[in-house]
């Protein structure tokens, strides 16, 4: 494990995002790194498709939302 140097603005954005997603700053950085690597190595997939595949491979099966017209 090592230390990654990032600029202050990115660190601030990381800190803010970690609060929204209820992750530690390190967990948020790891999430962004993993998603970024998956996006770069699977350029034909959308973000939603990548997340869906990751959740599925972890055994998570979320039901699609049912929309009703009001």
């Amino acid at each position: 494990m090592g230390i990654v140097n990032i600029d202050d603005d990115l660190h601030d954005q990381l800190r803010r995002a970690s609060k929204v997603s209820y992750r530690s700053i390190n967990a948020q950085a790891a999430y962004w790194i993993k998603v970024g690597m998956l996006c770069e190595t699977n350029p034909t997939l959308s973000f939603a498709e990548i997340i869906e595949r990751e959740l599925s491979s972890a055994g998570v099966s979320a039901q699609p939302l049912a929309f009703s017209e009001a």
Side-chain angles (χ1 to χ4, degrees), residues 1 5 10 14 16 21-22 24 27 31 33 37 39 41-42 46 49-51 53-55 57-60 62 68:
M1 179 191 242
N5 291 320
L10 182 57
L14 184 59
R16 291 174 190 219
S21 60
Y22 299 99
S24 69
Y31 174 77
I33 290 167
M37 287 178 62
C39 288
T41 57
N42 298 281
S46 69
E49 291 168 325
I50 288 171
I51 297 302
R53 288 182 181 203
E54 288 297 297
L55 289 171
S57 71
V60 176
S68 64

Side-chain angles (χ1 to χ4, degrees), residues 8-41:
D8 290 339
D9 182 55
L10 182 57
H11 186 269
D12 187 51
Q13 294 297 315
L14 184 59
R15 181 181 51 76
R16 291 174 190 219
S18 70
K19 288 181 182 180
V20 171
S21 60
Y22 299 99
R23 296 182 180 111
S24 69
I25 293 175
N26 286 344
Q28 184 66 39
Y31 174 77
W32 279 355
I33 290 167
K34 182 174 182 172
V35 170
M37 287 178 62
L38 288 169
C39 288
E40 284 190 352
T41 57

